[in-house]
Amino acid sequence: MKQTHIFPTVSGPLALAASYANGYRETKTNLHPTASLAELRNAFGGPLPAKAQPGEDVIAELIHAAEPGLVGNTQPGFHAWVMGASHPTGVAADWLTSIWGQNAGIYQGSPAAATAEEVACDWVLDVLDLPRTASVGITTGATMAGFIGLAAARDEVLRRKGYDLASDGLQGAPGITIFASDDTHVSNLAALRYLGFGNRNISRVPSDDQGRMILVDLAERMALVDGPKIVIATAGHINSGAFDDFHALADLAAQHDAWLHVDAAFGLWARTSVSTKYLTSGIDRADSWSTDGHKWLQIPFDAGFAIVRDRQAHRRAMDISASYLPLAPEDGRHATHYNPELSRRARGFAVWATLKALGRDGISDMVRNHCDCASLLAHKLQTTPGVRVLNDVVLNQVVLSFDRGQGDSDQMVQAMEQALNADGQHFFRTAEWRGQRVLRVSIIGFETGPDHIQALARKIKTLWADIGA
Ligand SMILES: Cc1ncc(COP(=O)(O)O)c(C=O)c1O
């Protein structure tokens, strides 16, 4: 095929952004913002200019204003939350996505975006070893992916009772009961609220010390309820990394003709490594799955995947059409069929590029490395007096407490958080876990490896020797 690419010499705002971006990660040595809110408001503030400004000046000003307020979540010392580190190849694809400025809602809006997305979605199913006939929507994240999975669930469990939600609406529909554990991620509760469900429609099932749903409780609750049911399971608890028992949940769901949705924001990627795939055993029996691209897969923000076994249920839930929109089935993929979006960013380019850059083995090695790192950290700390690993470390999450036996463990955890963050090399945050303050260690950035973890274990021990004394 004749090459028609033209690479003009770039200048102006694009050149400035590109040359700055090239060095940014090497020079970002403090993972914490250094500016206060007032300083940031001041830096970004002022009246909207009446006249157009030169693009290069605007970008220089943007860099100057933003830099002191940036968080180093692309760096290996970032452990505060489960956030990926934006793989450089994905970032480059993301730049192109903006340059190309495609609207990826329908095939004719961007045949290239539609096709990259179609292929990337097939790769996602393949690498995750989920039913290859399932449909996939590329979303802004796991919250929206959960929303989509649960929207499909809502419509389908009603349809099975002979109720057509699209024509008759939620008011007057048979009552649906949702079963979700006490530990379900807040994003599921938010998604349920957007879908018209309140707390009284959700049966909160007790969970065990790791955050796994207690099955006998679920079974009892399901047996007591008539009518349509949806069960929300978890793969990768936000604190402990724990997994529900998917075979048991799938059996219960089948028994009750319930829809089983799995919130697998990061845990689903355990499937890509032979050392952790067992954790997800039976997960492929679910009806829908929500997961993130911007967490373990390192796709630049934002990217998530809504995966639904029954393509038609997915399509029905997201249905949209108008005479001005060419949505011919013989065209390629129309992303709008799988998302609550019409105009949308062509997220598929960054997904395609990141998957290709990492490759199947790269993804699996990365997942195994992070899980090994978590085990290594737990191992290094297990004999340190006063430091306790509170979770069974099965994935990439380590939950720590610091207790010197004087009843002030919560304060000690906060003191350790402060001390660990003080030199700007690490970024940690605490959470409430089983009635106590804990330090959460998420090992998720693609550059984080055993050397970082050895150094982190030494730092924790040194600081604790001082603080816990
Ligand atoms: C288990 C779980 N579900 C859902 C979410 C929400 O994901 P997102 O922030 O991508 O919307 C998270 C985020 O940390 C999560 O850990």
Side-chain angles (χ1 to χ4, degrees):
M1 199 197 301
K2 191 164 163 274
Q3 290 286 322
T4 54
H5 303 157
I6 303 165
F7 295 106
T9 314
V10 277
S11 63
L14 295 175
L16 178 59
S19 72
Y20 166 79
N22 270 330
Y24 168 70
R25 291 196 183 179
E26 282 70 49
T27 54
K28 175 89 184 149
T29 47
N30 187 347
L31 274 62
H32 295 264
T34 52
S36 66
L37 171 61
E39 286 165 338
L40 287 168
R41 282 184 175 150
N42 191 38
F44 281 105
L48 172 66
K51 302 262 185 290
Q53 310 284 300
E56 210 167 319
D57 293 355
V58 173
I59 295 304
E61 226 182 289
L62 173 62
I63 292 170
H64 182 72
E67 230 188 18
L70 297 177
V71 167
N73 54 296
T74 56
Q75 305 293 347
F78 185 85
H79 299 292
W81 300 292
V82 188
M83 291 181 180
S86 293
H87 193 284
T89 308
V91 172
D94 203 49
W95 289 352
L96 292 172
T97 304
S98 295
I99 284 288
W100 290 331
Q102 303 292 280
N103 185 339
I106 62 172
Y107 178 82
Q108 287 191 23
S110 179
T115 310
E117 188 162 318
E118 180 181 276
V119 171
C121 289
D122 286 347
W123 287 350
V124 165
L125 293 177
D126 190 37
V127 76
L128 292 173
D129 192 17
L130 290 177
R132 308 304 192 267
T133 50
S135 51
V136 185
I138 301 185
T139 66
T140 51
T143 302
M144 197 38 71
F147 169 83
I148 295 169
L150 293 169
R154 180 189 64 174
D155 293 17
E156 180 59 18
V157 293
L158 289 176
R159 206 182 65 84
R160 288 182 200 160
K161 300 285 176 198
Y163 191 86
D164 180 0
L165 191 78
S167 59
D168 298 327
L170 201 55
Q171 294 177 46
I176 301 173
T177 307
I178 294 108
F179 300 86
S181 93
D182 272 348
D183 272 64
T184 199
H185 192 269
V186 285
S187 59
N188 298 313
L189 304 177
L192 289 170
R193 209 170 59 241
Y194 311 151
L195 289 164
F197 297 107
N199 291 341
R200 262 188 254 133
N201 310 125
I202 309 171
S203 176
R204 300 298 294 273
V205 183
S207 47
D208 68 12
D209 61 340
Q210 299 299 309
R212 293 171 294 227
M213 209 173 339
I214 298 179
L215 294 165
V216 282
D217 283 298
L218 174 65
E220 271 172 23
R221 282 159 188 256
M222 289 183 86
L224 290 175
V225 173
D226 268 339
K229 301 178 183 68
I230 298 170
V231 179
I232 304 178
T234 302
H237 183 282
I238 184 70
N239 290 325
S240 68
F243 289 71
D244 279 328
D245 177 342
F246 304 110
H247 275 302
L249 290 176
D251 287 345
L252 268 173
Q255 203 181 313
H256 290 273
D257 197 22
W259 179 290
L260 176 60
H261 174 79
V262 187
D263 170 10
F266 57 106
L268 201 50
W269 299 91
R271 263 178 106 59
T272 63
S273 167
V274 283
S275 56
T276 44
K277 190 169 183 184
Y278 76 95
L279 293 164
T280 67
S281 182
I283 207 170
D284 48 332
R285 294 174 58 195
D287 296 293
S288 55
W289 306 262
S290 42
T291 192
D292 262 316
H294 56 223
K295 287 189 167 63
W296 228 336
L297 198 52
Q298 317 292 326
I299 295 169
F301 289 91
D302 43 22
F305 305 101
I307 307 172
V308 183
R309 175 187 297 280
D310 178 345
R311 301 182 75 89
Q312 292 316 315
H314 193 166
R315 288 280 305 271
R316 274 193 295 270
M318 294 295 119
D319 189 43
I320 192 166
S321 65
S323 64
Y324 80 98
L325 294 173
L327 287 163
E330 64 275 15
D331 275 353
R333 178 181 169 91
H334 301 297
T336 191
H337 285 330
Y338 308 101
N339 288 278
E341 297 166 328
L342 188 50
S343 290
R344 66 192 289 276
R345 184 170 180 76
R347 291 187 200 97
F349 290 132
V351 175
W352 182 91
T354 311
L355 280 165
K356 215 168 167 126
L358 288 168
R360 184 189 295 279
D361 292 349
I363 296 168
S364 137
D365 289 350
M366 177 175 63
V367 167
R368 199 193 52 234
N369 167 48
H370 289 149
C371 297
D372 288 350
C373 281
S375 300
L376 176 67
L377 182 65
H379 175 73
K380 289 271 163 202
L381 297 177
Q382 73 186 359
T383 52
T384 311
V387 181
R388 277 189 60 211
V389 178
L390 299 180
N391 63 322
D392 297 341
V393 179
V394 292
L395 202 65
N396 65 324
Q397 298 290 111
V398 185
V399 184
L400 297 175
S401 72
F402 298 92
D403 192 351
R404 56 182 179 169
Q406 295 183 15
D408 58 358
S409 166
D410 286 4
Q411 289 91 314
M412 289 296 102
V413 169
Q414 264 147 355
M416 282 297 290
E417 177 198 18
Q418 248 184 23
L420 282 161
N421 289 336
D423 63 6
Q425 302 295 299
H426 288 98
F427 197 122
F428 281 97
R429 283 292 177 260
T430 66
E432 197 78 17
W433 169 247
R434 300 300 184 243
Q436 68 181 104
R437 191 118 300 259
V438 295
L439 189 80
R440 298 173 66 251
V441 187
S442 300
I443 300 169
I444 191 85
F446 69 95
E447 286 183 327
T448 309
D451 291 349
H452 298 105
I453 297 303
Q454 299 267 14
L456 173 61
R458 283 194 297 274
K459 183 174 174 180
I460 291 176
K461 286 184 193 187
T462 308
L463 291 172
W464 178 238
D466 188 25
I467 289 170

